Amino acid sequence: MSSKNQNKPPFHHNATSPSTTSTTTPSPSKNKCTAAEVSEEKGQKLGFEKMIGTPNNGRLRLAFSLVNGSQDLGPDSTPVSHAGSECGAIEFTREDVEALVSEKMKSKNKFNYKERCENMMEYIKRLRLCVRWFQELEGEYAFEQEKLRSALELTERRCYEMEMALKNKDEEMNLIILELRNSLASLQEQLVKEESEKKAAMDSLVKEKEARVSLERSKASLSEELDKVQAELDSANQRIASINDMYKLLQEYNSSLQIYNSKLQTDVTAAHETIKRGEKERLAAVENLHNLRGEHKSLQDQLTSSIASQDGVMKQKEALLNEVACLRMELHQIKDDRDQYQQQAQSLAVEASKYKELATNSSGLEEKCLSQGNQIQILHDQLAVAERKLQMSDTFALEKRKEFEGQKEIIKELHKCLEDAEFKLIEGEKLRKKLHNTILELKGNIRVFCRVRPQLADDSSSNHGKVFSYPTVMEYLDRSIDMTHNGQKHSFIFDKVFMPDVSQEEVFVEISQLVQSALDGYKVCIFAYGQTGSGKTYTMMGKPGLPDEKGLIPRSLEQIFQTTRALQHQGWRYEMQVSMLEIYNETIRDLLSTNRDSSRFENGVTGKQYMIKHDANGNTQVSDLTIVDVQSSREVSFLLDRAAQSRSVGRTQMNEQSSRSHFVFTMRITGVNESTEQQVQGVLNLIDLAGSERLTKSGSTGDRLKETQAINKSLSSLADVIFALAKKEDHVPFRNSKLTYLLQPCLGGDSKTLMFVNLSPEPSSAGESLCSLRFAARVNACEIGTPRRQLNIRTSNSRLSYG
């Protein structure tokens, strides 16, 4: 026996043979193994995998049935039972049979016939077991062949019966074709008659159309003149407003200059008053000085005369003394003369004392005059200082005025730079949004915005902490949101994520370009999804009576009408049509119907039949739906208020005013450019879906229970559609609900679609919020195709389309 056969067991690669593995003479107890033991051992070692073969030495060991070319039994065939057979569940492969046939008896002693006999008996048992297995397999094949023959006969009988039925059907169809031909001939005769009648009616219709066209032209010319006058009036009002603003600014600047001028005038008047006072004091001092100088001169004259007289007296005294000295001897004779001279001397002494007093008085006057001269000099100096200060203040005022003018110019330049920077920033943001929208349009995905409503005062207080967090990584800034639920963190990435403190205006800025696409001729759909009480209606409608909290629908309408007025200068003329409906308990209700009582019986016997139909161009029509032509946002606001009063709203444990229906607002826009003769048709769908809710939390009973079941059913149908689109399945179940069938062009066509997923920050609603986020992620992954611009001409009998 070769080494290859020695390494390979006779039945399977994991079984050992006594004749090939034993190196010593086995004992009689070991050699006496029955066929049952062999089959049991083989059954334990052989598994289901051995039926199709196992790898051995780099090649596959196929089951014997596969080697012979037989097929596996089908799922409906009865498995062959091995109960009662000696083989049990043992199966043989080609290698097992070849090894068994090519096996040679081997023993250490040729003359040990007992051992050779025992080995031969064991080999014969295994051969018998293999033969029985082949016999049972042959029986199974015979049974299967008989079964296939009976199935073949049955199918032949069925084919014969089908052929006979087809022959009968052919005969019936031939009879039907003859009848249809006869009816076609009669219908053709009727058609000829109707065509003649139609020609006459068309002639009258052409005349009516000509008259109508002339009336429309006159109306259009009058409306154009009215629009031009209105535009001129608006431009004049804007100019007046700008002039008033400039006048106010100039008045404020003039008032500031007047205040500054009044301050300078008060300072100048005060300086002039001080100067006048100084002049008056100077004049008075000069007059006093002149008077004092005159008195001084007179006193000096008197003094000189008194000095001269005194000199004469002194000379006379000297002469007298000389005479006294000479005439001493004659003293007795002239005693009387001496006494007289003494009296004169005394009088002269008195006069001299008077002259001395006058001299002292003149020195005091001189000192006073000097002091007044000093005061006058000080006043002159102060006046010069005041004049210098006045000149300096004038130069300072001029410098400050020049500085003010320079600063004003700098401020103007800075304002211009700031305006340019803001304009560039706005233009850059618009360009970024436009490029982002273009990328998303090329991708064809449904855009998803996520918005978390703020915590309200009525919300239940919880100590579980915040449910949502917002990563600050620059790559995912304002695009990612993390949610913590049951200790696990879930991360999601969307096109935009709005935090609770974001205003309605900031939200609308992000979708303004999408709303603009409706004027450019695209189909646009924006819908809000989320659980009850998550802020869907607030996002779409806002709060009535609060201009700062207006929702997306009023802001979109204002932008559309403002843009249409701005585009009138470029030659564009637009017509708007509006319809509003709700889907309540899988029935359509017309919210603008004048007969509200009959509108409650939709799809019934007495009510209108609101049928949804899609044409080949992807447009949707709702029969018998009220369509209103609008020309201003006020008219649409009035219609929105009217629809809000007719909408189904109820109270649940989760929300005081819960929307119990899906609200669909549709505006069809038709634009014509008179200069380029370009025509566009756009559709704007704004949808407020009813909130998903759990019966255990909402506590709904009676009618509310039916409403909840209908809402959850339609939302689950929407989820089925999204899942089918995400998996790119051939069949998408749009017809499972009225909502999905109505939104079929938006979800599976050439529309620009955006979904708002609204979330509640309450920890008790974390489970529903996680479901909403997962659904939104699925929606964001859906590819619905590239949006297509509609350039079709609107016909006179065109109905409102939902895109």
Side-chain angles (χ1 to χ4, degrees), residues 429-456:
E429 186 68 17
K430 288 181 180 178
L431 181 62
R432 183 192 68 78
K433 290 177 181 177
K434 188 175 181 181
L435 293 174
H436 184 61
N437 292 335
T438 305
I439 292 168
L440 292 173
E441 289 169 8
L442 293 174
K443 286 173 65 179
N445 290 11
I446 300 176
R447 300 176 64 186
V448 176
F449 285 179
C450 176
R451 187 180 189 186
V452 182
R453 73 162 173 82
Q455 197 81 18
L456 302 178

Side-chain angles (χ1 to χ4, degrees), residues 58 86 90 122 139 172 174 180 239 241 244 274 300 377 396 442 515 592 614 620 650 674 681 741 762 771:
E86 294 182 1
I90 300 175
E122 182 67 26
E172 292 177 0
N174 291 326
L180 289 174
R239 288 176 183 173
N244 288 328
T274 55
Q300 280 184 348
Q377 189 65 33
F396 183 73
L442 293 174
V515 175
L592 298 182
H614 304 295
T620 302
E674 297 176 353
Q681 287 184 347
Y741 192 49
E762 292 188 34
C771 293

Side-chain angles (χ1 to χ4, degrees), residues 17-33 106-109 112-120 122:
S17 174
S19 61
T20 58
T21 56
S22 61
T23 56
T24 59
T25 303
S27 62
S29 61
K30 291 183 180 179
N31 291 332
K32 293 178 181 180
C33 57
K106 186 177 180 181
S107 61
K108 290 185 177 182
N109 190 0
N112 191 354
Y113 294 105
K114 185 177 180 180
E115 182 182 354
R116 294 178 66 183
C117 184
E118 288 177 355
N119 292 335
M120 186 65 69
E122 182 67 26

Side-chain angles (χ1 to χ4, degrees), residues 643-767:
Q645 294 175 0
S646 303
R647 189 180 179 187
S648 301
V649 178
R651 179 180 179 181
T652 63
Q653 293 181 3
M654 298 179 68
N655 196 357
E656 285 289 333
Q657 290 186 346
S658 175
S659 302
R660 313 307 296 168
S661 64
H662 306 301
F663 173 71
V664 181
F665 171 88
T666 302
M667 173 179 280
R668 182 174 182 177
I669 304 167
T670 304
V672 178
N673 194 322
E674 297 176 353
S675 60
T676 61
E677 296 183 357
Q678 187 180 10
Q679 297 180 350
V680 294
Q681 287 184 347
V683 179
L684 178 63
N685 294 318
L686 302 172
I687 303 167
D688 179 17
L689 298 178
S692 61
E693 57 187 35
R694 295 185 181 180
L695 294 175
T696 55
K697 287 190 175 183
S698 64
S700 301
T701 57
D703 293 337
R704 294 289 176 268
L705 178 61
K706 294 180 181 179
E707 293 169 356
T708 303
Q709 291 173 348
I711 290 168
N712 291 338
K713 181 182 177 182
S714 62
L715 293 178
S716 64
S717 300
L718 179 62
D720 295 338
V721 168
I722 295 299
F723 293 158
L725 290 172
K727 293 179 181 179
K728 297 183 179 179
E729 296 180 356
D730 296 333
H731 173 69
V732 181
F734 286 110
R735 292 179 177 268
N736 286 358
S737 70
K738 293 284 181 66
L739 176 65
T740 54
Y741 192 49
L742 186 67
L743 298 179
Q744 181 176 356
C746 302
L747 298 176
D750 52 2
S751 174
K752 291 185 178 183
T753 306
L754 168 66
M755 185 186 90
F756 270 93
V757 55
N758 293 87
L759 305 174
S760 174
E762 292 188 34
S764 58
S765 303

Side-chain angles (χ1 to χ4, degrees), residues 248-317:
K248 288 179 181 178
L249 292 172
L250 289 172
Q251 279 185 343
E252 292 176 357
Y253 178 67
N254 195 10
S255 62
S256 63
L257 287 177
Q258 285 178 356
I259 292 167
Y260 182 71
N261 195 8
S262 62
K263 288 181 180 178
L264 290 176
Q265 284 180 355
T266 53
D267 294 334
V268 170
T269 52
H272 280 302
E273 287 178 357
T274 55
I275 290 167
K276 286 179 180 179
R277 290 175 186 174
E279 284 289 336
K280 288 179 181 179
E281 291 177 357
R282 187 178 67 81
L283 292 173
V286 168
E287 290 177 357
N288 291 327
L289 183 60
H290 284 298
N291 295 326
L292 290 172
R293 282 179 180 173
E295 293 177 357
H296 181 63
K297 286 180 179 179
S298 63
L299 290 172
Q300 280 184 348
D301 293 336
Q302 291 177 6
L303 182 60
T304 53
S305 63
S306 63
I307 290 170
S309 62
Q310 188 177 3
D311 290 335
V313 170
M314 288 298 292
K315 288 178 180 179
Q316 290 175 3
K317 183 180 179 181

Side-chain angles (χ1 to χ4, degrees), residues 205-217 796:
L205 182 62
V206 167
K207 293 178 181 179
E208 290 179 359
K209 280 185 177 180
E210 289 176 355
R212 188 180 296 173
V213 165
S214 62
L215 289 172
E216 285 180 354
R217 285 177 181 173
S796 59

Side-chain angles (χ1 to χ4, degrees), residues 317-334:
K317 183 180 179 181
E318 287 178 356
L320 291 171
L321 287 173
N322 290 326
E323 287 178 357
V324 169
C326 291
L327 298 171
R328 276 185 182 181
M329 292 171 38
E330 297 176 354
L331 183 57
H332 294 290
Q333 294 178 359
I334 56 172

